[in-house]
Structures are given as structure tokens and as C-alpha cells.
Amino acid sequence: MLTLAWPFLLLLLPLPLIFRSKQQKQPQGGHLLLPGASLPSQVTITEKSKQSRKRYWIVWCLLVVACARPLWVGEAIELPSKGRDLMLSVDLSGSMQIEDMVIDGKVVDRFTLIQHVISDFIERRKGDRIGLILFADHAYLQSPLTQDRRSVAQYLKEAQIGLVGKQTAIGEAIALGVKRFDKVEQSNRVLILLTDGSNNAGAISPEQASQIAAQKGITIYTVGVGADVMERRTLFGKERVNPSMDLDESQLQDIAKTTGGQYFRARNTEELEQIYQVIDTLEPVSRDQLSYRPQSELFYWPLALALLASVLSALTQVTLFKVRFKANLRDKAQLAKGGR
């Protein structure tokens, strides 16, 4: 059905009439009309002025209707009544820009791989509620738990390395996830932590945060990102190095073990995707049946019509100016002949 988001704005419709009535009450100077002189042109100008006023009125009405936000509301759609609550915690520290991962034969940095795999992971989570935490020097909530998977994927896509610092506050990332789950009842309470380093920032240690998470019934799945071997060019030729030497796997394993989760090593796309199968085995939790009505914005239709009417009114004003100019010339010519 058709409805208005802000119908109270329709009260602005008679506003031009109020201003017009006040202007008409003000005293106006007299006019001297010569009998038989410029009468036809004056009639033409008056008719065009009336048409112009009608167009102004139409433009005003269309603008007010556009401001009231007309909406087309569709039929009610029921949301899935069962699902999981998953909080994704993604590392944005400086080391995530190391290019030691491969996607379709192309070498990319670690964060690009996470964006590629997790975006697909989010898309598959139909019926689940997903939240997003980004952390480096500190942890920040980018998106609360929501079924709007498209928005969460967009937030992850827009994130940038170094956005919230260059260090790694794993403890704060866990603590923030625990805090957000405190507001949720009847939930699986799953936190997926993706990082390529060890905790070197933040006000709380990962051990303390994981113990609190275990007490709250939150399961943490940790993912260590980074390749084991990478070749780099030096002055003496190619050198094989371990780009993941800063990754504290034992710490991530302890976090997962404390909360009853699992640790995954993600050296490539296939290993990172293994977490899909584990999450799919979790039993969905029943929720209250919710529904929503899809809405389509229609304000651009009256706005476009108002723009079109404004252009037509402007063209009319140009024509009216030409008519007045020619009428004045003709009237002056008639007065000059009468003076002779």
C-alpha cells in the first residue's frame, strides 16, 4: 500500500496562501490606465502570470509531498525463527598488510583474503545474526548482531588496515564481544576471532577475557592467519622467511580450549573455509517469530515532477519577459503616435 513516512509535513501545503493573503492586505500604489492603450497586451500578460502562479503552486505541492516521503509498503515477510548468533572479530593491525596469501593465483595481503572468504561466509549465514568487531590498538564495534548480512559485509569491505591502529589488542576484542552478548538471551554466543599476531595492546589480557567468556557461556573459535613460508628478494637473491613468526598459536589455542571452541590455522583460502563446516554443525536457537514489511522509497517521483515543473515555469518566465518587453515597446509607440 501507499503511505507517507512523515504525513505531518502536509500541513505546510497552505503556507504560500498565507503569505499571499498577507501581501494582498498591504496597500499598493495606484496605476494610471489610458483608455484603449495597451489593454490587449495587459490581458495577455495577466493570463500568463496566472498560469505561472499555478505552476508555482504545483511545484510547492510536489516538494511538500516529496518531503513527506511517500513509501510503497509491501506484504509482511516472516523472518527465520531459528538461527545462530555469530560475532566476527577481525584484526586490522599493520601486519595484516603482509602479502603472503593467494587468491585465484594472485598474491594478496592477509586482510584481502579475510575480506574475500568472510564476505562469502556472511552471505551463506541465512537466518543467523551476525555482528562485526574491528580491533588493533583497541577494539571497536562496527556492527551489532543483525540479520542484515548485506550491511555487515559492506562494513567489512569498507574497513582498512591501520584504521584503528597498528598493534593487536586481542583481549579487548574478546571483552567487547562478551559485553555485546550480555544483551542477548537464548543465543549460541559464538565469537570468531581472526588475527595474525599476538596480544601486545589493550587494557585486558586474552587469558582474563577468555575466562570471562567461558563463564558467560561464550564459545570462541580462533583463526591464525598467515603463511608459513614466503620468498622475498634481497641484494643476495631470494630468501625464504617465515612471515608468521609473530603469530602466537599457543595463545590462540588456549583461548579456544578455555571456552570450548577450536583453533584453526589459515595458511590459504581452503583452510580458512574449514570453519564453515564447524559453524554449520551448531544447533540453531529458536527465537520469537518476527516479520517486516519491505519498503520502497517513492519521493524521487514527486521530486522529479517538481523539477520538471520548475523548468517549465522558468521557460514561461522567459517568454513572459519577452511579451512584456514587446508590449512596452508597442505601448510607447502608441503613446508617441497619440502625442503627435
Side-chain angles (χ1 to χ4, degrees):
M1 64 178 180
L2 186 64
T3 185
L4 296 175
W6 302 323
F8 60 89
L9 290 180
L10 296 180
L11 297 175
L12 298 176
L13 284 174
L15 199 59
L17 296 177
I18 297 174
F19 283 107
R20 184 180 176 187
S21 62
K22 289 183 178 180
Q23 289 178 353
Q24 290 177 346
K25 291 180 180 179
Q26 295 177 356
Q28 298 183 5
H31 298 277
L32 177 63
L33 297 177
L34 297 178
S38 71
L39 187 58
S41 61
Q42 189 68 31
V43 172
T44 303
I45 293 172
T46 302
E47 291 177 352
K48 290 184 176 293
S49 297
K50 290 181 178 179
Q51 293 177 1
S52 180
R53 291 195 194 99
K54 289 181 180 178
R55 289 194 181 94
Y56 286 144
W57 175 250
I58 292 173
V59 169
W60 172 254
C61 291
L62 290 172
L63 287 176
V64 172
V65 171
C67 290
R69 283 186 60 201
L71 302 170
W72 179 261
V73 182
E75 295 294 332
I77 298 177
E78 293 186 352
L79 297 174
S81 58
K82 290 186 178 182
R84 309 167 185 86
D85 288 338
L86 311 174
M87 185 67 74
L88 302 175
S89 190
V90 180
D91 187 355
L92 288 185
S93 60
S95 57
M96 292 295 287
Q97 63 187 349
I98 297 176
E99 296 183 349
D100 60 346
M101 311 303 287
V102 178
I103 300 178
D104 299 329
K106 182 180 178 181
V107 178
V108 298
D109 59 65
R110 296 169 177 176
F111 183 60
T112 300
L113 176 72
I114 288 178
Q115 286 178 311
H116 175 75
V117 177
I118 297 301
S119 295
D120 183 55
F121 172 77
I122 293 173
E123 182 62 29
R124 298 186 188 185
R125 306 261 59 89
K126 294 182 179 179
D128 295 344
R129 292 190 300 187
I130 301 177
L132 179 62
I133 294 174
L134 303 177
F135 69 95
D137 291 353
H138 299 284
Y140 299 90
L141 180 68
Q142 190 71 6
S143 172
L145 289 170
T146 177
Q147 287 185 327
D148 187 359
R149 305 189 309 277
R150 182 178 300 178
S151 295
V152 178
Q154 184 63 29
Y155 292 146
L156 180 62
K157 181 180 179 181
E158 293 174 353
Q160 297 180 359
I161 299 174
L163 182 66
V164 290
K166 296 183 178 181
Q167 294 182 307
T168 310
I170 296 177
E172 279 197 13
I174 297 173
L176 181 56
V178 172
K179 182 179 180 180
R180 299 308 303 181
F181 276 121
D182 278 344
K183 301 179 180 180
V184 181
E185 297 181 358
Q186 297 181 350
S187 168
N188 296 92
R189 300 193 174 201
V190 174
L191 174 64
I192 303 173
L193 178 74
L194 301 102
T195 182
D196 67 341
S198 58
N199 186 79
N200 55 17
I204 184 172
S205 68
E207 291 75 19
Q208 292 174 322
S210 59
Q211 289 175 3
I212 297 173
Q215 295 172 2
K216 299 286 187 178
I218 298 173
T219 305
I220 302 178
Y221 293 89
T222 55
V223 181
V225 182
D228 286 334
V229 179
M230 182 179 71
E231 290 186 353
R232 66 180 182 183
R233 293 182 178 275
T234 65
L235 295 175
F236 305 100
K238 291 183 179 181
E239 181 184 11
R240 295 170 66 89
V241 296
N242 179 12
S244 300
M245 63 178 61
D246 293 332
L247 178 62
D248 192 344
E249 292 192 82
S250 61
Q251 185 180 69
L252 297 179
Q253 290 171 352
D254 291 340
I255 293 172
K257 183 178 180 180
T258 301
T259 59
Q262 287 183 249
Y263 169 70
F264 297 87
R265 184 72 169 89
R267 302 175 184 84
N268 49 52
T269 305
E270 291 73 18
E271 288 185 340
L272 185 55
E273 289 177 347
Q274 288 179 1
I275 197 170
Y276 288 169
Q277 302 173 2
V278 176
I279 299 300
D280 287 337
T281 60
L282 297 178
E283 185 69 22
V285 175
S286 298
R287 306 192 188 101
D288 294 335
Q289 184 65 59
L290 300 176
S291 64
Y292 79 101
R293 291 179 177 269
Q295 296 181 352
S296 300
E297 296 279 357
L298 300 177
F299 70 91
Y300 48 84
W301 287 107
L303 195 61
L305 292 175
L307 179 61
L308 180 60
S310 299
V311 173
L312 293 176
S313 180
L315 294 176
T316 302
Q317 287 296 322
V318 173
T319 305
L320 185 60
F321 174 78
K322 292 181 179 179
V323 171
R324 284 177 175 172
F325 182 75
K326 292 180 180 179
N328 288 334
L329 293 179
R330 186 164 56 251
D331 292 345
K332 289 180 181 179
Q334 290 178 358
L335 289 174
K337 289 181 180 180
R340 292 177 183 175

